């Protein structure tokens, strides 16, 4: 990336709205600012009596609050990153399963198309299950209306797809002469996909403890409510502005830490791009099905061997000298 593009990216991200937590916490910031303005107004009206308290306790409390927020944000990011790694594994394992089916499976065109289409449907089924959805035009286009409707009506869509893929592999082994070792390897890839699916479901169903989130938010509320009393004697009418400037990053970190706990939810802040990942898997697998064997055999060299063999011989001679 050129330096000019990097500079432009900096300003785009500074003033950007998409992906930012500010729009989600703006109302809360304004509420705390309004409360600070009320405290300032009362302090100004109460002649001879000040609402000001020492700022020292807030310095200590602010450091403790910042540490708690960072720890929770890191915990949320760990869940987000684990989800991303799991989906990276789903991308790789579906490719492995598709390549093994096409390279070592039977040559029957109908079987090859079925196993590739059901393998491409598996990430869609995982995505729908993680988002509690029961319909997808992509799945309908892959499998056809009747098969897709049966899938949407199943108890667990991902299990149903895995069962269908297992049936296709068993049919290839028992009826179409698929090699036993290739069958075992394909089954291992299918089992790894089920492991990734289960890990994603674990992340979705077990967010960070609610008590942890409740106590941190109570701490935030107490800190920001008492902050105007610590500032009013020092900066007076600037108290509402400074209170909002302090509240914005605190509330943003709180929101980010909460949103990162749910990496698969489409409406979550910076949710994982599951739709794009599923489309990428589908496109790659269907391209392999249509391509057949895309590479020609290695060209022989003048001595009758392959180019690769000639290169190895040349490398051996260079090493010997």
């Amino acid at each position: 990336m050129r330096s000019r593009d990097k500079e432009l990216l900096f300003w785009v991200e500074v003033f950007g709205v998409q992906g930012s937590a500010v729009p989600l916490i703006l109302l809360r910031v304004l509420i705390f600012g309004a409360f600070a303005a009320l405290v300032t107004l009362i302090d100004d009206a109460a002649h001879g009596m000040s609402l000001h308290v020492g700022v020292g306790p807030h310095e200590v409390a602010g450091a403790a609050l910042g540490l708690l927020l960072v720890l929770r944000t890191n915990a949320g990011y760990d869940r987000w990153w684990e989800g991303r790694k799991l989906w990276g594994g789903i991308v790789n394992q579906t490719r492995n399963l598709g390549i093994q089916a096409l390279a070592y499976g039977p040559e029957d065109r109908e079987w090859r198309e079925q196993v590739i289409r059901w393998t491409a449907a598996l990430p869609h089924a995982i995505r729908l299950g993680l988002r509690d959805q029961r319909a997808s035009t992509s799945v309908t286009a892959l499998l056809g209306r009747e098969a897709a409707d049966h899938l949407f009506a199943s108890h667990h869509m991902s299990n149903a797809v895995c069962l269908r893929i297992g049936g296709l592999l068993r049919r290839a082994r028992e009826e179409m002469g698929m090699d036993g070792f290739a069958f075992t390897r394909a089954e291992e890839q299918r089992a790894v996909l089920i492991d990734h699916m289960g890990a994603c479901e674990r992340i979705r169903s077990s967010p960070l403890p609610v008590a942890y989130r409740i106590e941190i938010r109570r701490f935030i509320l107490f800190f920001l409510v008492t902050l105007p009393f610590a500032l009013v004697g020092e900066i007076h009418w600037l108290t509402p502005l400074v209170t909002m400037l302090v509240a914005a990053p605190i509330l943003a970190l709180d929101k980010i830490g909460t949103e990162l706990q749910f990496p698969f939810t489409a409406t979550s802040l910076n949710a994982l791009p599951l739709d794009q990942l599923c489309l990428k898997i589908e496109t790659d697998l269907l391209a392999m099905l249509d391509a057949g064997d895309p590479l020609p055999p290695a060209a022989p060299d003048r001595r009758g061997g392959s180019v690769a063999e000639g290169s190895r011989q040349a490398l051996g001679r260079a090493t010997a000298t």
Side-chain angles (χ1 to χ4, degrees):
M1 182 182 293
R2 295 176 300 179
S3 58
R4 180 180 177 183
D5 295 335
K6 293 180 180 179
E7 182 68 19
L8 180 61
L9 180 62
F10 172 81
W11 294 110
V12 169
E13 292 183 347
V14 166
F15 295 104
V17 175
Q18 187 168 356
S20 172
V22 173
L24 303 177
I25 54 109
L26 184 59
L27 179 60
R28 301 175 194 176
V29 173
L30 293 176
I31 290 175
F32 283 111
F35 178 77
L38 178 62
V39 171
T40 306
L41 184 63
I42 295 175
D43 180 77
D44 185 69
H47 301 289
M49 183 181 68
S50 175
L51 299 180
H52 176 65
V53 296
V55 74
H58 285 79
E59 295 177 350
V60 178
L65 178 59
L67 179 61
L68 288 174
L69 289 172
V70 168
L71 290 175
R72 197 183 70 170
T73 302
N74 288 340
Y77 179 78
D78 287 342
R79 293 167 56 85
W80 184 92
W81 183 240
E82 183 184 2
R84 182 62 187 90
K85 290 192 294 184
L86 289 170
W87 269 88
I90 291 173
V91 171
N92 293 337
Q93 297 305 325
T94 49
R95 289 172 177 170
N96 288 336
L97 181 56
I99 290 172
Q100 288 173 359
L102 294 178
Y104 305 110
E107 295 295 332
D108 183 78
R109 174 68 187 184
E110 180 184 356
W111 182 89
R112 293 163 71 89
E113 183 165 345
Q114 283 291 308
V115 74
I116 287 297
R117 289 187 175 273
W118 281 99
T119 302
L122 179 57
H124 289 290
I126 296 174
R127 168 178 59 87
L128 294 174
L130 293 174
R131 293 178 174 177
D132 294 323
Q133 298 173 345
R134 284 283 170 172
S136 171
T137 55
S138 299
V139 175
T140 303
L142 271 172
L143 306 179
R145 173 62 64 181
E146 183 178 357
D149 288 343
H150 278 87
L151 178 62
F152 298 149
S154 61
H155 173 70
H156 193 285
M157 290 181 290
S158 301
N159 284 347
V161 175
C162 289
L163 184 61
R164 178 63 175 170
I165 295 173
L168 288 168
L169 294 175
R170 179 181 178 183
R171 179 186 167 202
R173 175 74 180 106
E174 294 181 350
E175 302 177 11
M176 299 180 177
M178 186 178 185
D179 179 73
F181 180 75
F183 169 79
T184 301
R185 291 293 297 167
E187 277 292 286
E188 289 175 356
Q189 300 298 334
R190 187 173 67 96
V192 173
L193 282 168
I194 294 176
D195 290 340
H196 290 335
M197 173 185 68
C200 289
E201 292 176 346
R202 168 180 54 81
I203 293 175
R204 185 200 63 167
S205 60
S206 56
L208 295 177
V210 177
Y212 187 42
R213 187 168 68 245
I214 289 175
E215 295 307 321
I216 289 180
R217 288 186 163 174
R218 286 176 177 172
F219 194 1
I220 291 173
L221 177 64
F222 178 78
F223 181 83
L224 293 178
V225 165
T226 57
L227 181 61
F229 296 97
L231 297 177
V232 67
E234 303 289 339
I235 55 177
H236 203 54
W237 285 108
L238 289 177
T239 299
L241 177 61
V242 174
T243 299
M244 289 190 291
L245 290 176
V246 173
I250 292 176
L251 294 174
L253 282 176
D254 171 70
K255 188 63 176 178
I256 291 171
T258 302
E259 294 285 309
L260 288 175
Q261 296 180 59
F262 307 99
F264 309 123
T265 305
T267 57
S268 180
L269 185 67
N270 291 316
L272 290 174
L274 301 189
D275 298 280
Q276 292 87 334
L277 290 173
C278 290
L279 180 60
K280 176 64 175 174
I281 295 171
E282 176 186 336
T283 303
D284 290 347
L285 290 176
L286 293 179
M288 286 193 295
L289 178 65
D290 294 335
D293 188 1
L295 298 178
D301 64 7
R302 294 179 180 179
R303 293 179 294 276
S306 68
V307 174
E309 182 180 356
S311 300
R312 288 195 295 270
Q313 292 175 355
L315 179 59
R317 290 194 296 271
T319 304
T321 58

